Amino acid sequence: MELDLMMPITRVRSVGTRSAARLAKLGITTVRQLLWHLPTRYEDYSDSVPIADLVPGEKQSIRGEVVAVSSRFIWPKRMTITTATLRDASGAVRAVWFNQPYIEESLTEGTLVSLSGKVVLDKRGLSLSNPLYERVGASEADGVGQLRHTGRLIPIYSETAGVTSKYLRFLIQPLIEQLKLPDPLPESIRREYGLPELVSALTAVHYPQRLEDAALARERLAFDDLLLLQLKALRERRQMNLLKSVRVPMDAVHMKGLIQGLPFSLTRDQRVAILEVLKDMERPYPMNRLLEGDVGSGKTVVALLAAMHAAREGHQTVILAPTEVLAVQHERTLRKLLSGHPEIRFALLTGTSALRDGRPASKAAIKRAVGSGAVHIVIGTHAVIRDDVRFPRLALVVIDEQHRFGIHQRATLMKAERHSSGLVPHLLSMTATPIPRTLALTVLGDLDSSIIKEKPAGRQPVQTQVVPSSSRDRVYEFIRGQVREGRQVFVVCPVIEVVQQEEQSHPAGRSPRQGKLSALWAQVKAVQDEYAKLSKEVFPDLRVVMLHGRMKSKEKQEVMHEFKEGWHDILVSTSVIEVGVDVSNATIMLIEGADRFGLAQLHQFRGRVGRGGHASYCFLFPTDDGAASARLSALETLDDGFALAEADMKLRGPGEFFGIKQSGMPDITMEALGNPVLIKKARAAARVILKADPGLKHNPLLAAQLAAMQSVVHSE
Ligand code: ADP
Ligand code: MG
């Protein structure tokens, strides 16, 4: 009979409620999850030898009969030692276990047993030290039949309290032995890519004959997940292309006029990007484009030009920023760009501020104006999308720093009912975290991308230095000198993780919200402490100011504004300044606890300086000197965000890198996300499958898996 993979684990023989609860800690609640709990490594005990051939220092396996067994307790060491003597046709050997007195009960005299362990030579001769053991029947002792725990490549799993590898083998092995499962992966695809069939893959991954078989099996299982992700992306793309969007005809003369009105000339990459965006927007189906560009490469102006162009025919654009500070900054930039264009109306709408055409207005009035189509460009935080704002003429949605937004927030925005016409807006996402294209396709779906590589003219490279604690004072002196010359300084405090500890010290009655709040407080405290230290002890002579999450939004904006205007020398803040803030006179970025941040993120911080004509510096202060790892020094030499992102992804793994670690994506998929070759294969396979069978009618198993995956994503 076929195994029902969705069967709860409790229905597996010999899993009681206690074990089920423990297994749940490993994320195992169904048979599928048990079978897909893959070994983290294998112990190689496949070297089975006659006892006479044991070699000291080797890991070997033997089979024989127990001829004597005894335990004794050694008082000074508080330790039980169990010793058994094993015999086969070639000779006899001792096996010794520490603190496992129960072994004496199960390996009584006369038992046939298989042992795997390290061979040790001491003054009493050869022995096996703490070997794995399993009782075997007469036929197995002859080398026939299946061994689970000894005499072969033994799977080692990630364990948790009460769930040992041995227990997992005990559960998994019988399932594997009788495994019957249909294979969702079409045979033609398997053949094309040389991938094993599902049951053999599962068998080989848990009980491989050779390590190569296990590796190929893993690849096959990872391929399954990647294929689903690709099928999903391609189908969504197909569905998107069936949707209708406003066509915004390109008007080259108008665009040229807008570009000439800019205070600078665009880089070539910016020109290409804007052209690509405008071409997409001419189409009757929605654009789905990712604009990638290093920090400071000038993505904002590309988005604003597209919005201004759309406004020409009265179309609306929403620009979403991940933070209030950034939304306010975009509004200011836009206001300047629009000074010569009174016909284009715009508004700012965030949690706490509301401006219409640059002047304070009530939120209600702005929403009404947007709803009547009288406002063309709305800049806001996601409060805008949560609220009941209607956009009757929405043509374009821009998501800045898209990685900051959850997948479902993006989905909400794209919903057609957001505006009455039934048309779906064009979508432009922007990110400063460069993503390899294959990976973007997998994680973000099938989208087009524009890349800005070239930086605007006159950008200074930022001299970067990892600073040992002994040089701290020297750096402070250097900073003082820079400030005297009129420059400004950012100081970033590290992220502090307290949620974990909180949960442990208050096991009951603590909501995640409280956890979040206390994390926020810890952050605030870090900023306040650093502020106190810098303003009172280190730089009493300079103007130091701080910015943190417990300040009123108005206060925050004031501080940012004042800093931009040069009223303060040093701004101490949490990582909120990471995204987008633009202060061209700031030349120094000092990062405390730098080792707590990812490279890509540090690079983003660094991108906050080096925007004016002055030489700029980034100082990385690790938590302690030992933490100044090779990781941080990569920043001293690499200035290219793409290269750094790749290094970062290699170091931290794609899960951490994309913040999808908690997304429920299985480890094996995570692993596969770092394997572009496999992603490419999966993508090609998905195309082939969908070409022949667009509705997946002939691949019902794949269709079912896809549906299951979608429901997981939606319930997030
Ligand atoms: P990011 O890509 O990080 O979002 P921004 O769009 O904030 O970068 O641009 C950073 C700064 O560069 C802004 O002050 C912007 O006005 C300026 N800028 C953008 N494009 C150019 C250009 N072609 N020449 C000179 N300065 C530019
Ligand atoms: Mg930006």
Side-chain angles (χ1 to χ4, degrees):
M1 211 183 63
E2 268 171 24
L3 186 65
D4 176 8
L5 289 174
M6 288 306 135
M7 193 166 81
I9 194 77
T10 43
R11 303 230 338 252
V12 173
R13 227 163 42 124
S14 72
V15 174
T17 38
R18 276 246 310 278
S19 327
R22 288 170 178 161
L23 286 165
K25 285 210 179 113
L26 289 174
I28 300 174
T29 57
T30 64
V31 169
R32 184 179 204 282
Q33 286 160 341
L34 177 64
L35 285 175
W36 265 257
H37 187 71
L38 306 186
T40 49
R41 61 189 180 88
Y42 305 87
E43 284 282 8
D44 188 353
Y45 288 117
S46 51
D47 185 13
S48 287
V49 295
I51 288 176
D53 293 356
L54 285 171
V55 178
E58 296 289 299
K59 286 179 172 176
Q60 291 179 311
S61 297
I62 55 163
R63 286 166 209 192
E65 183 186 342
V66 178
V67 291
V69 62
S70 66
S71 288
R72 65 205 156 96
F73 190 72
I74 302 187
W75 270 109
K77 293 191 176 164
R78 301 266 187 287
M79 192 160 73
T80 312
I81 295 189
T82 305
T83 309
T85 306
L86 276 289
R87 186 185 295 285
D88 70 5
S90 72
V93 70
R94 277 176 306 131
V96 181
W97 290 273
F98 304 99
N99 284 331
Q100 300 179 58
Y102 46 85
I103 286 176
E104 197 184 338
E105 322 271 286
S106 60
L107 298 187
T108 49
E109 279 172 34
T111 312
L112 292 176
V113 65
S114 167
L115 296 185
S116 290
K118 188 154 183 204
V119 185
V120 180
L121 178 66
D122 60 19
K123 51 184 185 291
R124 297 176 56 202
L126 283 183
S127 65
L128 288 168
S129 169
N130 256 334
L132 298 168
Y133 63 94
E134 94 183 271
R135 301 165 60 132
V136 294
S139 62
E140 285 149 345
D142 291 341
V144 198
Q146 287 287 334
L147 290 167
R148 288 177 203 177
H149 306 291
T150 58
R152 52 174 308 146
L153 285 168
I154 304 294
I156 309 293
Y157 300 94
S158 62
E159 308 179 346
T160 183
V163 182
T164 60
S165 279
K166 184 160 187 173
Y167 178 61
L168 286 165
R169 289 195 288 270
F170 172 77
L171 292 180
I172 291 171
Q173 216 252 352
L175 288 175
I176 292 281
E177 256 168 46
Q178 326 166 0
L179 197 57
K180 280 209 194 92
L181 279 177
D183 193 340
L185 195 60
E187 206 202 316
S188 54
I189 303 281
R190 287 205 307 266
R191 233 181 305 122
E192 163 122 32
Y193 295 106
L195 296 168
E197 183 273 332
L198 181 59
V199 170
S200 24
L202 282 168
T203 308
V205 81
H206 289 287
Y207 286 97
Q209 294 302 324
R210 300 170 313 158
L211 287 174
E212 301 90 89
D213 300 341
L216 187 62
R218 280 187 102 84
E219 191 166 308
R220 144 78 214 230
L221 297 174
F223 185 88
D224 288 358
D225 289 344
L226 293 177
L227 178 69
L228 286 180
L229 287 168
Q230 295 298 345
L231 285 172
K232 177 168 170 278
L234 287 175
R235 287 183 93 189
E236 274 169 7
R237 171 60 165 249
R238 221 166 264 221
Q239 275 157 6
M240 279 272 253
N241 288 359
L242 294 177
L243 296 173
K244 295 232 169 332
S245 283
V246 186
R247 299 180 60 151
V248 182
M250 168 138 58
D251 180 335
V253 176
H254 177 245
M255 185 38 77
K256 228 177 171 168
L258 292 179
I259 291 175
Q260 271 162 3
L262 294 174
F264 42 73
S265 55
L266 293 179
T267 62
R268 201 177 42 96
D269 287 350
Q270 283 173 316
R271 282 171 199 276
V272 171
I274 182 78
L275 194 69
E276 285 171 337
V277 168
L278 295 185
K279 277 200 166 143
D280 283 356
M281 289 174 61
E282 274 194 311
R283 304 212 170 98
Y285 56 87
M287 160 172 81
N288 188 17
R289 182 169 289 277
L290 179 66
L291 178 56
E292 295 180 71
D294 213 342
V295 257
S297 60
K299 298 181 290 293
T300 318
V301 69
V302 172
L304 294 181
L305 284 171
M308 287 162 72
H309 186 256
R312 195 177 100 85
E313 295 203 340
H315 298 304
Q316 292 177 305
T317 297
V318 192
I319 299 175
L320 280 172
T323 65
E324 187 135 15
V325 165
L326 202 55
V328 168
Q329 179 179 296
H330 284 342
E331 196 266 352
R332 292 235 167 88
T333 309
L334 181 66
R335 207 190 296 174
K336 277 188 211 134
L337 289 188
L338 289 183
S339 59
H341 299 270
E343 73 285 3
I344 301 180
R345 302 307 178 86
F346 61 102
L348 172 75
L349 207 48
T350 70
T352 50
S353 35
L355 297 176
R356 185 172 174 192
D357 296 324
R359 283 179 293 276
S362 83
K363 274 194 193 175
I366 290 180
K367 284 180 190 174
R368 266 199 310 278
V370 174
S372 73
V375 176
H376 303 106
I377 305 176
V378 181
I379 297 177
T381 51
H382 66 268
V384 180
I385 50 171
R386 260 206 326 257
D387 291 3
D388 49 340
V389 190
R390 295 193 71 79
F391 298 91
R393 306 204 59 186
L394 187 59
L396 173 63
V397 172
V398 177
I399 303 187
D400 194 14
E401 310 290 346
Q402 62 81 29
H403 57 282
R404 289 299 192 93
F405 289 90
I407 289 171
H408 46 281
Q409 275 170 329
R410 273 178 267 164
T412 313
L413 263 173
M414 297 307 287
K415 277 208 186 120
E417 65 257 28
R418 278 282 140 189
H419 54 115
S420 38
S421 57
L423 297 173
V424 173
H426 297 287
L427 176 64
L428 178 66
S429 322
M430 305 199 286
T431 181
T433 307
I435 311 169
R437 179 169 160 76
T438 43
L439 201 49
L441 290 169
T442 308
V443 181
L444 304 172
D446 193 355
L447 35 63
D448 298 307
S449 65
S450 301
I451 298 178
I452 305 184
K453 280 220 152 172
E454 186 188 1
K455 296 215 168 154
R459 284 290 149 80
Q460 301 266 355
V462 181
Q463 288 186 46
T464 303
Q465 209 182 327
V466 181
V467 185
S469 52
S470 56
S471 305
R472 200 173 257 271
D473 290 341
R474 274 223 320 274
V475 168
Y476 285 148
E477 267 324 295
F478 178 80
I479 288 177
R480 179 171 281 112
Q482 286 282 302
V483 171
R484 291 231 173 89
E485 283 175 29
R487 305 286 87 77
Q488 288 168 288
V489 183
F490 287 114
V491 175
V492 175
C493 299
V495 181
I496 295 167
E497 305 207 10
V498 293
V499 185
Q500 206 61 19
Q501 292 150 7
E502 287 292 334
E503 271 169 7
Q504 276 159 10
S505 51
H506 305 271
R510 201 162 246 283
S511 68
R513 188 173 154 71
Q514 281 170 312
K516 247 187 217 157
L517 278 181
S518 54
L520 178 62
W521 275 116
Q523 224 92 295
V524 170
K525 183 150 185 323
V527 171
Q528 285 168 339
D529 290 352
E530 183 70 19
Y531 169 76
K533 183 182 109 185
L534 293 180
S535 61
K536 295 203 184 94
E537 293 163 29
V538 185
F539 299 119
D541 49 328
L542 304 184
R543 297 166 301 175
V544 186
V545 72
M546 66 177 158
L547 191 66
H548 60 67
R550 292 305 291 181
M551 285 160 63
K552 292 218 180 67
S553 141
K554 218 178 167 140
E555 277 177 276
K556 279 195 246 179
Q557 283 166 37
E558 273 166 22
V559 168
M560 263 332 289
H561 179 71
E562 292 167 7
F563 188 66
K564 226 172 163 163
E565 296 292 313
W567 302 2
H568 309 288
D569 304 315
I570 299 176
L571 176 72
V572 183
S573 80
T574 51
S575 49
V576 286
I577 56 114
E578 173 194 353
V579 277
V581 176
D582 196 29
V583 181
S584 58
N585 191 45
T587 57
I588 292 182
M589 170 61 66
L590 189 162
I591 300 164
E592 290 287 349
D595 48 299
R596 308 237 181 118
F597 296 103
L599 290 185
Q601 210 179 357
L602 290 168
H603 180 65
Q604 293 219 8
F605 292 144
R606 173 167 70 176
R608 299 295 124 230
V609 296
R611 295 186 166 206
H614 304 285
S616 294
Y617 307 87
C618 175
F619 298 110
L620 303 168
F621 288 2
T623 319
D624 55 67
D625 288 348
S629 56
R631 204 166 72 89
L632 290 185
S633 41
L635 282 156
E636 291 181 333
T637 48
L638 289 178
D639 185 38
D640 173 4
F642 283 78
L644 274 168
E646 228 142 77
D648 203 16
M649 200 169 73
K650 284 213 183 91
L651 284 165
R652 294 194 300 156
E656 191 87 23
F657 183 74
F658 280 107
I660 46 176
K661 191 123 206 167
Q662 308 303 330
S663 66
M665 217 182 251
D667 288 350
I668 183 142
T669 319
M670 256 356 150
E671 210 177 288
L673 290 180
N675 183 346
V677 177
L678 200 62
I679 293 176
K680 271 194 195 122
K681 285 184 190 168
R683 183 165 185 76
R687 277 191 197 288
V688 169
I689 292 173
L690 284 181
K691 189 154 189 223
D693 183 16
L696 293 180
K697 290 204 180 59
H698 305 291
N699 289 281
L701 291 168
L702 279 179
Q705 285 187 331
L706 207 54
M709 182 168 86
Q710 235 114 353
S711 74
V712 168
V713 171
H714 282 296
S715 62
E716 261 178 330

